[in-house]
Amino acid sequence: MHPSIHRQQITLISVSIEAIALGVYLIRDAFGGVMRYYTSIMHLDALWYIPDVVALVCLVQFIVQFIVRKRSVLAFVVLLQIMLSIVLGYFMLGTSNAAMSSFKMMLPVFVGFCFCDASLGSYRRLLSLIAATFYLSVIGVLLTKFYVMPWVGFKYESFGAVREAGRLWWAYGADDQRLMGFAADNTMAAFFILVSFAITSIRKSTIWNLAFGSIAIYAVVLTTSKTTLIVLAFYLLLLLVVRILPEASRFAAVRGIALWSFAAILVPFLMILIASGTVAVPHTTMFSILDRINNSWQLPFVYLSQLMPLGLITGCGAGCFNYPQQLFSPLASYWVPVDNFYIGTYLMFGLPFVAFMVLVFRATFAATDVYKLTLLFVVNMFTITVLNYGPASGLLIIALSFSEVFSRRLAGTAHHSGSAPDRDLVGRNKTVRYFGADVPRPA
């Protein structure tokens, strides 16, 4: 076999694996309530872990593609840091179940990273699956408004811990149940509507976006996820604003929005400075955010300074102040729902995570995939009040949006590539306008 043909086959295989992994994670998590309930009652619990098995293949692909073949120092350092953090988390949390859960928790990161240098728009079948997820997620929320689904309150065992699908929460202003649709959690039901709409909207007309954006907003209102509602409404507004711009300026605007969205990282710290110590009155509009300000975003650092002072710099390991600690550790009494991706990840990885995010920000200047830039905005805004490590698809989407950090393109090339380099953006001779209406579908 000719070497060039062999290399092409390797490339084709590598392109498909991460798409398959994202697809099976999406099916499992967006329909988590359905999947967990029926796999349990049919004694097919092993099917729940199929995405994790595919993610293991992506881990191997990440090592081969970025460390062995491309000899990326950053990829090696990131892999080493994650593995060392899992070991540190084992000593911190004190049980093998916690370590196994932490390893499983981090697997989706490698799936997302494998999308480096690839346009999400080139995965036609995956985009169709994401669009179907959007429609079905909306339908699921609407159905649960009128029918009680069998998986609500269903309890299942995972790594020896009992967990519950379809948790019920009090919602301000009413005693209504927070609807979770086909997912196992109302916040995640809203998240999948948000993400699948954002990805699907890029190739759709303005009329479609106005119509289905309005339906999506109504469905998110039913889930009572205020964060998702704000982000979805803000995204729809920005999408319309970008489409008003001349087409030559649209991509630059999208990249600018993605870059500015990193300012959302500072929002919790500003809130702490402004409102820390303000008494949170139960059953009021501000109770949720004030509870985060006073407890969720500060108490973990107080506990960490008591348990492991050095962890304020090095982090306390993967799974620390995350669900592995809550479910599998003797330190469960110290667990606090962190409710912010950047704070939660810093607690686990420390200052190395800060250095990594500086590189992610730098890489965004050179990013040419409109899908990844769109997702950067969405996840940066969404994770202000959500940790987003569970279900796994949440972390996978974040890693996907960060994946260009491993690209060989230098940030400086972005300033010489023009406002919208078509061949760099989508590749494979496919044409996509940047948030443009009436776009031709790829062949």
Side-chain angles (χ1 to χ4, degrees), residues 181-197:
F182 295 130
D185 179 88
N186 69 295
T187 302
M188 287 299 102
F191 172 75
F192 287 115
I193 291 174
L194 169 66
V195 169
S196 58
F197 174 78

Side-chain angles (χ1 to χ4, degrees), residues 59-340:
L59 170 57
V60 175
Q61 176 179 303
F62 176 82
I63 295 172
V64 172
Q65 181 175 342
F66 295 100
I67 298 177
V68 177
R69 292 175 59 190
K70 295 186 177 181
R71 298 182 180 180
S72 169
V73 175
L74 177 62
F76 174 75
V77 170
V78 168
L79 176 64
L80 182 63
Q81 175 66 35
I82 290 175
M83 294 306 168
L84 289 176
S85 293
I86 291 173
V87 174
L88 177 60
Y90 168 72
F91 288 107
M92 178 72 177
L93 302 181
T95 67
S96 57
N97 275 353
M100 291 171 60
S101 180
S102 298
F103 176 72
K104 177 178 173 292
M105 178 184 75
M106 296 305 301
L107 281 176
V109 166
F110 299 103
V111 178
F113 287 164
C114 285
F115 281 91
C116 175
D117 285 330
S119 168
L120 198 57
S122 64
Y123 299 87
R124 293 184 59 202
R125 292 184 180 87
L126 181 59
L127 289 180
S128 297
L129 175 62
I130 292 171
T133 299
F134 168 70
Y135 295 123
L136 291 173
S137 295
V138 170
I139 291 171
V141 171
L142 295 177
L143 282 176
T144 52
K145 178 176 174 60
F146 303 101
Y147 302 100
V148 177
M149 298 301 178
W151 51 84
V152 174
F154 178 72
K155 295 183 178 180
Y156 57 92
E157 185 173 316
S158 177
F159 286 93
V162 177
R163 307 179 74 174
E164 182 175 343
R167 294 175 296 170
L168 305 181
W169 296 80
W170 173 85
Y172 171 71
D175 293 324
D176 294 337
Q177 170 185 325
R178 289 185 171 186
L179 304 179
M180 88 299 290
F182 295 130
D185 179 88
N186 69 295
T187 302
M188 287 299 102
F191 172 75
F192 287 115
I193 291 174
L194 169 66
V195 169
S196 58
F197 174 78
I199 294 173
T200 305
S201 67
I202 293 172
R203 291 182 181 269
K204 297 296 185 178
S205 69
T206 302
I207 294 176
W208 184 94
N209 278 287
L210 286 172
F212 283 93
S214 300
I215 295 172
I217 287 174
Y218 175 68
V220 170
V221 169
L222 294 179
T223 68
T224 71
S225 176
K226 293 186 285 293
T227 295
T228 313
L229 178 61
I230 293 171
V231 176
L232 178 57
F234 193 21
Y235 169 78
L236 186 57
L237 175 62
L238 287 176
L239 184 146
L240 297 175
V241 169
V242 169
R243 290 195 174 187
I244 294 173
L245 299 174
E247 187 171 338
S249 303
R250 291 177 185 173
F251 180 74
V254 173
R255 179 185 280 163
I257 291 170
L259 287 167
W260 276 105
S261 71
F262 283 96
I265 298 174
L266 303 176
V267 170
F269 304 101
L270 293 175
M271 288 185 175
I272 289 172
L273 288 174
I274 294 171
S276 182
T278 303
V279 178
V281 180
H283 306 295
T284 60
T285 305
M286 297 299 294
F287 176 79
S288 178
I289 192 63
L290 287 175
D291 182 60
R292 285 177 169 88
I293 291 171
N294 292 322
N295 299 304
S296 175
W297 297 337
Q298 296 190 70
L299 275 182
F301 292 97
V302 175
Y303 294 152
L304 184 57
S305 65
Q306 298 171 1
L307 297 170
M308 181 183 174
L310 186 61
L312 295 172
I313 298 175
T314 64
C316 52
C320 178
F321 294 102
N322 210 316
Y323 62 83
Q325 177 177 339
Q326 179 192 14
L327 297 174
F328 308 110
S329 173
L331 299 178
S333 60
Y334 289 94
W335 174 81
V336 177
V338 180
D339 289 336
N340 179 280

